[in-house]
Amino acid sequence: MPIASTTLQHLNTVAQEQFEPCFVYDLDFLRDHLSTLMDQDVVKLWYAVKANPLSAIVRTLAETGFRFDVASEGELQQVLAQEVPASQVLNTGPAKSRRQIDKFIALGVRTFVAESLNQVRWLNEAALAHDVQLQLLLRVQLRWPKGEKNPLGGDSLTPFGLDPQQWRGLYLADYPALQCIGVHIFQWGNMLSADKLLSLWQQMLPPLKALSEQLGFALQVLDLGGGLGVPYDDNSASLQWQDVLRALAQIKRESGVQELWMELGRYAVAECGYYLNPVVEQKENYGEHQLIVSGGINHILRPAVAGQAFPCTLLRESQAKPRKFNIHGPLCTALDSLGTHTLAQDVNENDWLVFSQTGAYGFTESMPFFLCHPMAAEYIIDNNVLHLLRESASANSYLR
C-alpha cells in the first residue's frame, strides 16, 4: 500500500531527528479506518488489545466505539487507565487463574469467555463471593475426524477452549451466578478471503448450535473471534470490509443469533503503523546481496515467529535498478531476518527502510532486551501533528 504524502513527510522528519529505529502510528488514518468498520449494524466489534496496547491507540479505538478484548491483568489495567468502563471489557485467554478472575470481577468486568470446566466453576464461585451475575461464553475447539478435510486449517491441538464432548458434561443449573449467552470459536489467522471465511463459519454452525441445544441455553451470541487479515506482500489482495459484512450478515441469518461478535486486532490497527529502520551496510555473500540494519526481531519479531515478513520500502526515492536483498537485523542469531525484499540497488548506510503494517504485532510482540540494543522510540501522528511518545532508551534504563 503506498504511503500517503502527508504521512511520508512525517516519516522523513522522524528520520532526520532519530539515529535509532522507531515506530510511527498514524492516528488520523486509524480514525478514518475505524469509522468505516463501525458504520454498520451487523456485528459488535471488540479490539484485541494484544495487537497493540499503546495508550493512544486504545483511546482512539474507544473514541470510535470499540469495546475491548483483554487477556491479562496488565491489558485490563492499561484499558481502564484510558477511562474505558469495565462494562466495555471482555475477558478472553486460556490462563484465567482464580486470582485473576477475582481481580477482574473486583474491577467491574462482567463478561467472560470460559476456556475450561474449571474456569466455569471458578467464575461462578467468584461471582457468588462478589454477589454479582456474570455473562458467559463457552469457547469451543473443533476438530474434524482423521482423514477428512479440516475446514479450520489443521488438526493441531491448542489450549483454547474445549471440544464439544467435554462441554456436554456441563450442567449450567449448577452455576446460578452465570448466564450463558453464547459460544466463542476462533481457530484461524490472517484470512484474506471473505468467501473462505464464510465457508468456515457455515461449517461450524451445526456443531455449535447442537451444543447449545444439548446444554439447554439459547444461542444469543456467536463470537467469531478475529482472524481478518492484512496483506504482507504485493501478490495478496486486501480483504474488503463490505465483503466481510455480507458474509457476516449471512451467518447471522443462518445462525439465528441476536448478536455476532468479533475481536479485531490486526485488521483494526496494522495499517496505521510504520517501523523506520536505518541501514548499517550493504554487502554480498556467495552471490546474495544483504542489508544489515539497526533493528531486527528485537523490535519486530513476527518474521521469525510467523515466517512472514513485514512489507518494506526505501524511504527516499531512487532511480536505480531494483535488486533483491536479504535483510538482517543486529542480533547474533540467524533467526534475525526481516525477509527478502526488492529495493533500489543503490541503498546504502545513509538510508532508512520503512516496514509497514506494523501497527499490529510490532513492538510489544518483540524481544527488545536481547543483546542490549536500544529500545525503539514511538511516535504518533495526531491531527497531522507529529508527537514523540517515548524516546529511544539504552539498556542501562532497565538493567540493574
Side-chain angles (χ1 to χ4, degrees):
M1 175 183 293
I3 303 173
S5 59
T6 53
T7 304
L8 191 59
Q9 291 173 7
H10 290 301
L11 297 182
N12 276 293
T13 298
V14 171
Q16 291 168 13
E17 66 182 42
Q18 278 288 336
F19 298 98
E20 301 292 347
C22 52
F23 288 89
V24 180
Y25 308 105
D26 187 343
L27 300 189
D28 298 333
F29 171 89
L30 181 60
R31 287 190 188 93
D32 290 343
H33 176 57
L34 297 177
S35 295
T36 298
L37 298 182
M38 291 296 292
D39 187 21
Q40 45 81 25
D41 59 3
V42 177
V43 59
K44 180 183 289 187
L45 296 179
W46 307 73
Y47 174 59
V49 178
K50 65 179 181 178
N52 189 334
L54 188 74
S55 298
I57 296 285
V58 172
R59 287 196 297 270
T60 302
L61 282 142
E63 289 166 4
T64 55
F66 266 72
R67 294 167 173 82
F68 293 88
D69 156 23
V70 303
S72 72
E73 187 176 329
E75 287 186 348
L76 176 61
Q77 296 285 5
Q78 172 65 346
V79 167
L80 296 180
Q82 312 317 312
E83 300 184 353
V84 174
S87 59
Q88 304 297 303
V89 169
L90 168 68
N91 183 204
T92 63
K96 298 182 189 70
S97 65
R98 290 177 184 267
R99 187 201 62 78
Q100 178 179 302
I101 288 170
D102 187 76
K103 184 66 175 289
F104 271 59
I105 294 175
L107 290 172
V109 178
R110 297 292 181 265
T111 308
F112 293 82
V113 174
E115 306 265 356
S116 68
L117 295 171
N118 283 329
Q119 286 186 12
V120 173
R121 177 164 52 86
W122 297 340
L123 284 163
N124 186 70
E125 291 172 354
L128 290 173
H130 287 270
D131 194 24
V132 298
Q133 190 81 11
L134 304 180
Q135 290 188 318
L136 185 72
L137 289 88
L138 307 179
R139 182 157 187 177
V140 180
Q141 182 174 165
L142 294 178
R143 301 180 78 186
W144 259 238
K146 187 175 182 180
E148 293 186 17
K149 185 177 180 181
N150 186 341
L152 301 180
D155 288 313
S156 298
L157 184 63
T158 74
F160 304 112
L162 291 176
D163 70 80
Q165 185 60 39
Q166 290 294 316
W167 281 128
R168 288 187 187 105
L170 181 66
Y171 295 95
L172 291 171
D174 293 340
Y175 306 98
L178 307 180
Q179 179 191 8
C180 191
I181 60 173
V183 295
H184 179 292
I185 185 161
F186 171 40
Q187 296 180 226
W188 52 86
N190 203 42
M191 298 290 292
L192 294 173
S193 168
D195 290 339
K196 179 65 173 177
L197 283 165
L198 177 60
S199 176
L200 290 171
W201 294 333
Q202 286 177 321
Q203 293 178 73
M204 295 183 318
L205 287 182
L208 296 180
K209 293 171 73 173
L211 178 63
S212 69
E213 292 171 1
Q214 290 164 354
L215 294 183
F217 70 92
L219 193 57
Q220 302 173 47
V221 174
L222 175 58
D223 187 337
L224 297 170
L228 304 189
V230 297
Y232 288 93
D233 59 71
D234 294 334
N235 300 319
S236 300
S238 297
L239 180 62
Q240 299 302 306
W241 180 236
Q242 292 304 315
D243 294 337
V244 175
L245 284 180
R246 281 190 286 271
L248 288 168
Q250 185 168 338
I251 289 299
K252 194 172 185 179
R253 290 192 301 270
E254 294 179 6
S255 64
V257 297
Q258 297 175 18
E259 293 185 357
L260 285 181
W261 293 2
M262 291 199 79
E263 295 127 19
L264 304 185
R266 185 194 336 262
Y267 196 73
V269 299
E271 293 182 345
C272 80
Y274 302 90
Y275 174 63
L276 273 67
N277 200 349
V279 175
V280 174
E281 66 168 326
Q282 177 187 159
K283 65 181 184 180
E284 185 176 348
N285 260 330
Y286 293 98
E288 297 281 341
H289 294 274
Q290 298 174 311
L291 289 179
I292 312 302
V293 292
S294 292
I297 59 175
N298 55 320
H299 294 160
I300 48 175
L301 184 61
R302 175 184 162 78
V305 172
Q308 191 174 46
F310 289 96
C312 177
T313 58
L314 185 62
L315 182 57
R316 66 173 170 86
E317 293 186 1
S318 173
Q319 300 303 314
K321 292 182 178 179
R323 170 182 288 165
K324 285 187 176 181
F325 290 96
N326 298 320
I327 302 180
H328 302 272
L331 306 185
C332 297
T333 168
L335 290 174
D336 194 9
S337 170
L338 301 184
T340 300
H341 301 274
T342 300
L343 302 168
Q345 63 182 15
D346 65 346
V347 61
N348 60 64
E349 65 272 16
N350 298 311
D351 282 321
W352 286 74
L353 303 183
V354 181
F355 293 84
S356 55
Q357 308 286 35
T358 59
Y361 305 118
F363 181 67
T364 56
E365 193 189 36
S366 65
M367 43 191 295
F369 307 118
F370 189 40
L371 260 78
C372 300
H373 284 283
M375 305 275 277
E378 288 188 303
Y379 290 78
I380 58 169
I381 301 168
D382 191 6
N383 292 317
N384 202 30
V385 177
L386 184 69
H387 303 273
L388 174 62
L389 297 185
R390 185 185 67 223
E391 293 272 8
S392 176
S394 63
N396 62 16
S397 67
Y398 59 84
L399 289 177
R400 297 291 183 269

